Each structure stands twice: as structure tokens, then as C-alpha cells.
């Protein structure tokens, strides 16, 4: 369907060598987009690109540190100048650090905020500066159920994902008039490398399955439809929205 066709578009997905980022890059590629994978580990990046190319997806690497504003701007500006427009940005790069809030290391807090929040601002701003003159662009930030819920031991992560949701609304408020669509996806609990310890914990998995109306963990492929929708013509009047893909966990007490 043309409403969901991404042919001719180029999508940059940060933190896309594994997990959610790689699944979203694959889904965008299957919808017709050319995808730019991003990560700091050159070997993992090359492996991920080769894997998508082997599936028939047009993929390339754009390696840079999302927490370094100079690197971000150089990479985005360089690609725009040498290869053409970045039409879609998926701000997926993120990290988790667990610990009691009263003992939480301030340096770990700073690192988490830089990775989860600053990076989204840096990369979105760098891409938006090119999208605005074209009067077109899609930005999708990856938020979390922790944008509106909290659990013990992850207060800083919760703060960072709340910031992503509000930053998304701010992006839409500032940039919608220039033709940009800025939205977010808030995943629930998915089987990813970031959640590997929780997936392996029978007690936590039992709690999660009971707490989630759908009764199970999510699979990363179940985020692809939401991402393609927010990047495609089908969502042309959707702006500043946070789409929860969580099996109903935020809908139920």
C-alpha cells in the first residue's frame, strides 16, 4: 500500500547494531527505505550492515558517537553533502543503569542522561537543520513505558524516558510548522539484550506476565508496524504523539 511505502526514503537508526534498533532498521528496509545503521563498535556495525544486505535490504553504516555533538553534526552534515538527504531519523540509542537512587553514582546518572536524552537532542537537531529547508522529515524517538511508570532501582532511567516523551512534544511544537512529523514509540517490556537479565529471571518474568494484560514479553518485531506507520504517509497528520506498544501494561492497574 502506498500509505505505508517508504521507497526512496533514507532512514538513520541510532544504536542499531542489535535489539530494537536493528529490528526497526530491518522493518524500515523491508518497507522500501534505504537504512543507515549507527553504532560505536565498528565490528558489530559491519556485521549488522552485512546481515541486512544479505536479506536484500539497502543498508550502509554511519558510525559516530551519539553523545558527542561535534561527531553527530559532522556525520549528518557529511552524509547530507556527499550522499543526499536523511528523510527519517529513529532516535533509538539508549542504555540502562540500575541501582538504589540514594546510592546512585552521579557519573552513571550523567552518562545515562547523555546517552538517552542528549543524544536524541543532538541527532534530531542535526537532522532537522536539513529537513526544515526541505519542509519534510520524520523523527521517531524511542521512549518507554517508563515515560509514565516507575519501578524500584531505575529512577534515573525513568527520568530520561520521561524527558524523551516531553522532548518529542517539544519537537513537534517547534518543527511541525516546517513540515516535520515528530513522534515517539514507547515500548513495554521486550526481549532485548538490554533486558537480558530480567528475561532470565523467572521471578521477574512471572511478575511481568501477570502484570501485563497480554500475559507475555514483547518480541522486537512487534514494534516494526508502529515505526513504519509513524515514518510513512499514513501518519501525515500525527505529530507530538507517544505511541505505547506495551501489551496493555500502561492501561491496567
Amino acid at each position: 500500500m502506498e500509505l505505508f511505502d517508504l521507497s526512496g526514503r533514507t532512514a538513520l537508526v541510532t544504536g542499531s547494531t542489535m535489539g530494537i534498533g536493528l529490528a526497526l532498521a530491518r522493518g524500515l528496509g523491508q518497507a522500501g527505505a534505504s537504512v543507515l545503521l549507527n553504532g560505536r563498535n565498528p565490528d558489530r556495525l559491519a556485521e549488522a550492515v552485512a546481515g541486512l544486505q544479505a536479506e536484500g535490504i539497502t543498508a550502509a553504516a554511519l558510525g559516530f558517537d551519539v553523545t558527542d555533538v561535534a561527531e553527530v553534526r559532522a556525520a549528518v552534515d557529511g552524509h547530507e553533502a556527499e550522499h543526499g538527504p536523511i528523510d527519517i531519523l529513529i532516535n533509538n540509542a539508549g542504555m540502562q543503569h540500575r541501582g538504589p537512587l540514594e546510592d546512585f553514582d552521579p557519573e552513571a546518572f550523567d552518562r545515562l542522561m547523555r546517552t538517552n536524552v542528549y543524544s536524541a537532542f543532538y541527532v534530531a537537531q542535526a537532522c532537522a537543520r536539513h529537513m526544515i529547508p526541505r519542509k519534510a522529515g520524520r523523527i521517531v524517538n524511542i521512549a518507554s513505558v517508563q515515560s509514565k511508570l516507575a519501578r524500584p532501582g531505575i529512577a534515573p532511567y525513568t527520568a530520561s524516558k520521561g524527558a524523551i516523551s516531553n522532548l518529542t512534544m517539544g519537537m513537534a511544537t517547534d518543527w511541525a510548522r516546517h513540515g516535520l512529523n515528530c513522534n515517539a514509540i514507547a515500548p513495554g517490556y521486550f526481549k532485548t539484550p538490554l533486558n537480558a537479565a530480567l528475561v532470565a529471571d523467572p521471578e521477574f518474568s512471572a511478575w511481568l506476565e501477570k502484570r501485563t494484560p497480554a500475559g507475555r514479553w514483547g518480541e522486537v518485531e512487534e514494534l516494526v508496524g508502529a515505526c513504519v506507520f509513524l515514518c510513512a504517509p499514513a501518519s501525515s497528520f500525527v505529530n507530538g504523539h507517544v505511541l505505547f506498544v506495551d501489551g496493555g501494561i500502561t492501561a491496567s492497574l
Side-chain angles (χ1 to χ4, degrees):
M1 293 178 62
E2 290 183 8
L3 281 175
F4 298 95
D5 185 11
L6 298 180
S7 298
R9 314 282 180 86
T10 295
L12 167 60
V13 186
T14 67
S16 49
T17 59
M18 65 177 71
I20 289 174
L22 182 57
L24 296 183
R26 176 178 287 109
L28 293 172
Q30 290 170 341
S34 299
V35 293
L36 298 172
L37 302 191
N38 162 264
R40 289 184 290 185
N41 185 311
D43 294 334
R44 279 186 189 168
L45 191 54
E47 182 180 354
V49 168
L52 292 189
Q53 289 175 340
E55 297 173 23
I57 293 170
T58 302
L62 190 61
F64 58 87
D65 181 351
V66 295
T67 67
D68 185 320
V69 65
E71 275 196 40
V72 169
R73 290 178 179 176
V76 171
D77 292 350
H79 185 277
E80 287 267 349
E82 296 175 24
H83 303 287
I86 294 172
D87 306 292
I88 296 166
L89 166 64
I90 312 297
N91 266 320
N92 171 73
M95 65 169 292
Q96 175 65 287
H97 188 102
R98 297 178 173 88
L101 186 58
E102 65 273 19
D103 297 321
F104 207 89
D105 182 0
E107 290 186 5
F109 183 90
D110 183 67
R111 184 167 60 251
L112 189 148
M113 295 300 287
R114 287 187 173 278
T115 303
N116 292 3
V117 182
Y118 289 23
S119 69
F121 164 66
Y122 292 158
V123 186
Q125 184 188 63
C127 289
R129 286 174 171 173
H130 295 279
M131 292 173 173
I132 288 170
R134 293 193 290 265
K135 299 189 180 302
R138 299 298 178 107
I139 296 174
V140 178
N141 299 316
I142 303 304
S144 168
V145 292
Q146 265 74 48
S147 293
K148 63 187 296 186
L149 300 175
R151 292 195 70 255
I154 59 168
Y157 181 83
T158 299
S160 75
K161 290 304 182 178
I164 285 295
S165 288
N166 277 16
L167 181 60
T168 299
M169 290 186 283
M171 288 178 182
T173 302
D174 278 14
W175 295 339
R177 65 175 66 96
H178 299 295
L180 277 62
N181 292 73
C182 306
N183 296 288
I185 296 172
Y189 283 87
F190 281 75
K191 294 179 180 178
T192 67
L194 200 65
N195 284 330
L198 297 180
V199 175
D201 183 342
E203 184 177 350
F204 183 87
S205 284
W207 171 85
L208 178 67
E209 289 166 6
K210 184 177 180 181
R211 173 68 178 80
T212 304
R216 62 178 176 85
W217 286 87
E219 302 289 344
V220 291
E221 292 76 17
E222 293 177 294
L223 292 165
V224 169
C227 186
V228 170
F229 165 68
L230 292 175
C231 295
S235 61
S236 59
F237 203 55
V238 179
N239 230 324
H241 181 66
V242 180
L243 175 55
F244 283 79
V245 184
D246 63 3
I249 196 169
T250 53
S252 172
L253 285 175

